[in-house]
Amino acid sequence: MIKAITGTKDILPVDMPKWHALEETVRNVFSNFNYKEIRTPIFEETALFARGIGESTDIVSKEMYTFIDRSETSVTLRPEMTASVVRSVIEHSLHKQQGLNKLYYFGPMFRQERPQAGRFRQFHQFGAEGIGSNDPALDAEMIIMAYDIITKLGLKNLTVKINSLGLPESREEYKKLLREYLSDKVELLSEESRKRYETNVMRIFDSKAENDQKIMAEAPLLIEHLDEESLEHFKLVKEILTSANVIFEVDPKLVRGLDYYTHTAFEIVSTSVGSQSALCGGGRYNLLSKEIGGEEIPGVGFAAGMERILLACENEKSFEPKEYESDLYIARLDKSLYNVVIDNAIKIRRNNLIVEYDYNHRSFKAQMREANKINSRFVMIVGGEEYERGETVLKDMSNGEQFTFKIDATTDIIKKITG
Ligand code: AMP
């Protein structure tokens, strides 16, 4: 028996109502902020992610699904969307057609991580990117949209963490300071952090090793060494969040690992999902477009993990997605009336109603059981004396009331069903 690959999951029909409810909330919030959907390919040239995410990141160095295709090109299943969206904007000159592109997306992402609760190898994200403005209002907008989506789903146990990563110049100065501080402690750091000391020193703040955390507790913080422009940018972001009633915490140790981040970085974490607590994360990436070979276009965005958000919803019992129901089940008393059933089903389905019937030629009783199981609001019965008189019976399953129609009075039947 061939099974699904470790770290991947089937999303079965019974799970679909909650996925649809989440997608609907996401689309509503993004539409209200006037973001437009974009879909990019699931695989791209490896170089896009290597450059656009950064060689020193965990994603690029350890987690990408990369392979050489039959034409000897190195391709990678996308581990995230920002690099693809920025590529698409540049490739289609969308930034020249309008100053600011406000875009959102949904879709599967792929990372070869160690699978555990809330962490998969194929998982789904939704997210937004605002490409073409350096305005702090846009940074705040990302956090507000993420917060609105998550709170509209009824989630409560949340913390919004924000930080400023400043501008590259002030950050380089600060990194020197941090290296100086660590220079006589390198030997005491974990192996992973010793590597980061060389490649991406700020990421040592992400280390979970107890001793690393002790050492980093005393480390100088970037936020205390920000330049004027970054401080002003950060101040405006905080002011907008406050006036939007988004309660946040400044976390000076939030670094999010990517070299191309500038100014704002944020995460929303939940205490309802276990150790993988980040529901979403994002930040400003003014240096990214240049990194992947385009001109400098400022941008900011975020991505949220859909499995994790749904897990939080389940654990907090925050919402009851609507169960599926169908409008009409057509049952027949006699096998020979199958064509009458099919004809009616097609006509009524073409009028935008959900219609089902039995494809397995089961008894009338079994058909009625199925009508109940699929939550059909009405059942139409074809057969018996009524059929001989050219009529059919329509039964309202909510109260048992029955109505008789001419079998070909499709319009009247539809009117009854749609009320
Ligand atoms: P990132 O792109 O790493 O900032 O991730 C953004 C969000 O995607 C995280 O906050 C998670 O909710 C989700 N996410 C990231 N990696 C995984 C994974 N391997 N499995 C499930 N969700 C993930």
Side-chain angles (χ1 to χ4, degrees), residues 59 80 111 113 118-121 123 125 256 278-281 303-305 307-308:
I59 295 180
E80 56 116 64
R111 296 182 195 175
E113 299 194 77
R119 200 200 253 179
F120 310 101
R121 291 182 168 174
F123 59 98
Q125 289 185 334
R256 292 196 46 79
L279 299 185
C280 75
E307 283 84 355
R308 263 186 225 174

Tab-separated table of all heavy atoms in Angstrom, residues 59 80 111 113 118-121 123 125 256 278-281 303-305 307-308, ligand 1:
chain	number	residue	atom	x	y	z
A	59	ILE	N	16.157	27.834	5.925
A	59	ILE	CA	15.357	27.383	4.782
A	59	ILE	C	16.267	26.997	3.628
A	59	ILE	O	16.172	25.895	3.083
A	59	ILE	CB	14.358	28.486	4.318
A	59	ILE	CG1	13.320	28.759	5.397
A	59	ILE	CG2	13.679	28.099	3.014
A	59	ILE	CD1	12.296	29.817	5.027
A	80	GLU	N	8.371	29.435	0.352
A	80	GLU	CA	7.603	30.617	0.802
A	80	GLU	C	7.254	31.417	-0.454
A	80	GLU	O	7.664	31.049	-1.552
A	80	GLU	CB	8.425	31.448	1.787
A	80	GLU	CG	9.784	31.875	1.233
A	80	GLU	CD	9.952	33.358	1.088
A	80	GLU	OE1	9.931	34.036	2.108
A	80	GLU	OE2	10.099	33.847	-0.054
A	111	ARG	N	8.921	22.513	2.731
A	111	ARG	CA	10.202	22.607	3.448
A	111	ARG	C	10.494	21.252	4.062
A	111	ARG	O	9.615	20.671	4.722
A	111	ARG	CB	10.134	23.648	4.584
A	111	ARG	CG	9.902	25.052	4.087
A	111	ARG	CD	9.883	26.047	5.242
A	111	ARG	NE	9.308	27.304	4.787
A	111	ARG	CZ	9.056	28.345	5.571
A	111	ARG	NH1	9.354	28.279	6.858
A	111	ARG	NH2	8.531	29.440	5.084
A	113	GLU	N	11.523	19.849	6.752
A	113	GLU	CA	11.803	19.999	8.180
A	113	GLU	C	11.469	18.689	8.876
A	113	GLU	O	10.835	17.814	8.295
A	113	GLU	CB	10.911	21.098	8.764
A	113	GLU	CG	11.149	22.446	8.126
A	113	GLU	CD	10.525	23.566	8.939
A	113	GLU	OE1	11.119	23.912	9.966
A	113	GLU	OE2	9.476	24.077	8.545
A	118	GLY	N	2.094	20.724	14.135
A	118	GLY	CA	2.190	22.104	13.650
A	118	GLY	C	3.359	22.362	12.714
A	118	GLY	O	3.622	23.492	12.353
A	119	ARG	N	4.080	21.295	12.349
A	119	ARG	CA	5.188	21.493	11.418
A	119	ARG	C	5.208	20.374	10.378
A	119	ARG	O	5.353	19.204	10.731
A	119	ARG	CB	6.503	21.505	12.187
A	119	ARG	CG	7.605	22.182	11.392
A	119	ARG	CD	8.911	21.742	11.931
A	119	ARG	NE	9.561	22.800	12.686
A	119	ARG	CZ	10.739	22.627	13.270
A	119	ARG	NH1	11.344	21.465	13.207
A	119	ARG	NH2	11.290	23.622	13.922
A	120	PHE	N	5.008	20.741	9.122
A	120	PHE	CA	4.883	19.749	8.059
A	120	PHE	C	5.872	20.040	6.950
A	120	PHE	O	6.534	21.073	6.944
A	120	PHE	CB	3.460	19.772	7.491
A	120	PHE	CG	2.404	19.705	8.541
A	120	PHE	CD1	1.738	20.849	8.941
A	120	PHE	CD2	2.123	18.506	9.166
A	120	PHE	CE1	0.785	20.794	9.945
A	120	PHE	CE2	1.179	18.444	10.173
A	120	PHE	CZ	0.503	19.587	10.562
A	121	ARG	N	5.950	19.112	6.004
A	121	ARG	CA	6.849	19.317	4.862
A	121	ARG	C	6.097	19.955	3.703
A	121	ARG	O	6.678	20.685	2.915
A	121	ARG	CB	7.484	17.988	4.475
A	121	ARG	CG	8.434	17.563	5.572
A	121	ARG	CD	9.163	16.284	5.262
A	121	ARG	NE	10.250	16.116	6.225
A	121	ARG	CZ	11.006	15.052	6.312
A	121	ARG	NH1	10.799	14.032	5.481
A	121	ARG	NH2	11.961	14.978	7.199
A	123	PHE	N	2.898	22.393	3.655
A	123	PHE	CA	1.929	23.089	4.499
A	123	PHE	C	1.378	24.256	3.686
A	123	PHE	O	1.840	24.508	2.573
A	123	PHE	CB	2.586	23.568	5.806
A	123	PHE	CG	3.743	24.510	5.590
A	123	PHE	CD1	3.581	25.876	5.690
A	123	PHE	CD2	4.987	24.013	5.250
A	123	PHE	CE1	4.649	26.741	5.474
A	123	PHE	CE2	6.063	24.870	5.026
A	123	PHE	CZ	5.890	26.238	5.144
A	125	GLN	N	0.120	28.324	3.341
A	125	GLN	CA	0.188	29.688	3.871
A	125	GLN	C	-0.788	30.580	3.112
A	125	GLN	O	-1.063	30.363	1.934
A	125	GLN	CB	1.592	30.281	3.679
A	125	GLN	CG	2.659	29.688	4.569
A	125	GLN	CD	4.005	30.391	4.421
A	125	GLN	OE1	4.290	30.967	3.374
A	125	GLN	NE2	4.828	30.329	5.446
A	256	ARG	N	14.004	37.234	13.062
A	256	ARG	CA	13.442	36.590	11.883
A	256	ARG	C	14.449	36.254	10.783
A	256	ARG	O	14.060	35.947	9.652
A	256	ARG	CB	12.265	37.393	11.322
A	256	ARG	CG	11.081	37.342	12.279
A	256	ARG	CD	9.782	37.759	11.673
A	256	ARG	NE	9.502	37.188	10.381
A	256	ARG	CZ	9.053	35.966	10.172
A	256	ARG	NH1	8.826	35.154	11.169
A	256	ARG	NH2	8.832	35.546	8.939
A	278	ALA	N	4.312	30.126	16.468
A	278	ALA	CA	4.122	31.280	15.570
A	278	ALA	C	2.998	31.000	14.574
A	278	ALA	O	3.049	30.031	13.822
A	278	ALA	CB	5.410	31.581	14.827
A	279	LEU	N	1.963	31.833	14.618
A	279	LEU	CA	0.883	31.681	13.635
A	279	LEU	C	1.246	32.410	12.345
A	279	LEU	O	0.876	31.996	11.257
A	279	LEU	CB	-0.429	32.259	14.173
A	279	LEU	CG	-0.987	31.613	15.440
A	279	LEU	CD1	-2.342	32.218	15.784
A	279	LEU	CD2	-1.107	30.101	15.282
A	280	CYS	N	1.947	33.533	12.479
A	280	CYS	CA	2.356	34.240	11.273
A	280	CYS	C	3.552	35.128	11.554
A	280	CYS	O	3.876	35.397	12.719
A	280	CYS	CB	1.204	35.070	10.712
A	280	CYS	SG	0.871	36.543	11.631
A	281	GLY	N	4.205	35.520	10.495
A	281	GLY	CA	5.357	36.388	10.657
A	281	GLY	C	5.586	37.190	9.397
A	281	GLY	O	5.169	36.786	8.308
A	303	ALA	N	3.376	36.204	6.129
A	303	ALA	CA	2.811	34.909	5.763
A	303	ALA	C	2.305	34.234	7.025
A	303	ALA	O	2.914	34.363	8.091
A	303	ALA	CB	3.874	34.038	5.114
A	304	ALA	N	1.182	33.528	6.882
A	304	ALA	CA	0.590	32.848	8.036
A	304	ALA	C	0.400	31.381	7.704
A	304	ALA	O	0.067	31.027	6.571
A	304	ALA	CB	-0.750	33.489	8.386
A	305	GLY	N	0.621	30.527	8.694
A	305	GLY	CA	0.474	29.085	8.493
A	305	GLY	C	-0.981	28.667	8.722
A	305	GLY	O	-1.513	28.846	9.809
A	307	GLU	N	-2.437	25.543	8.610
A	307	GLU	CA	-2.640	24.379	9.492
A	307	GLU	C	-2.561	24.817	10.953
A	307	GLU	O	-3.356	24.390	11.785
A	307	GLU	CB	-1.584	23.298	9.235
A	307	GLU	CG	-1.802	22.464	7.978
A	307	GLU	CD	-1.262	23.123	6.718
A	307	GLU	OE1	-0.785	24.282	6.797
A	307	GLU	OE2	-1.319	22.479	5.653
A	308	ARG	N	-1.570	25.671	11.235
A	308	ARG	CA	-1.399	26.110	12.630
A	308	ARG	C	-2.571	26.948	13.108
A	308	ARG	O	-3.010	26.824	14.244
A	308	ARG	CB	-0.124	26.934	12.761
A	308	ARG	CG	0.983	26.055	13.246
A	308	ARG	CD	2.201	26.843	13.536
A	308	ARG	NE	3.318	26.118	12.950
A	308	ARG	CZ	4.543	26.570	12.912
A	308	ARG	NH1	4.820	27.767	13.406
A	308	ARG	NH2	5.481	25.849	12.383
B	1	AMP	P1	7.906	31.749	7.853
B	1	AMP	O1	7.781	31.873	6.359
B	1	AMP	O2	8.933	30.742	8.274
B	1	AMP	O3	8.006	33.068	8.541
B	1	AMP	O4	6.532	31.121	8.330
B	1	AMP	C1	5.338	31.826	8.389
B	1	AMP	C2	4.307	30.946	9.046
B	1	AMP	O5	4.113	29.770	8.279
B	1	AMP	C3	4.731	30.444	10.420
B	1	AMP	O6	4.399	31.383	11.397
B	1	AMP	C4	3.924	29.180	10.543
B	1	AMP	O7	2.613	29.452	10.988
B	1	AMP	C5	3.869	28.659	9.135
B	1	AMP	N1	4.888	27.621	8.905
B	1	AMP	C6	6.196	27.780	8.625
B	1	AMP	N2	6.810	26.600	8.458
B	1	AMP	C7	5.860	25.651	8.645
B	1	AMP	C8	5.852	24.221	8.594
B	1	AMP	N3	6.944	23.515	8.305
B	1	AMP	N4	4.676	23.579	8.835
B	1	AMP	C9	3.551	24.271	9.123
B	1	AMP	N5	3.499	25.616	9.174
B	1	AMP	C10	4.630	26.299	8.934
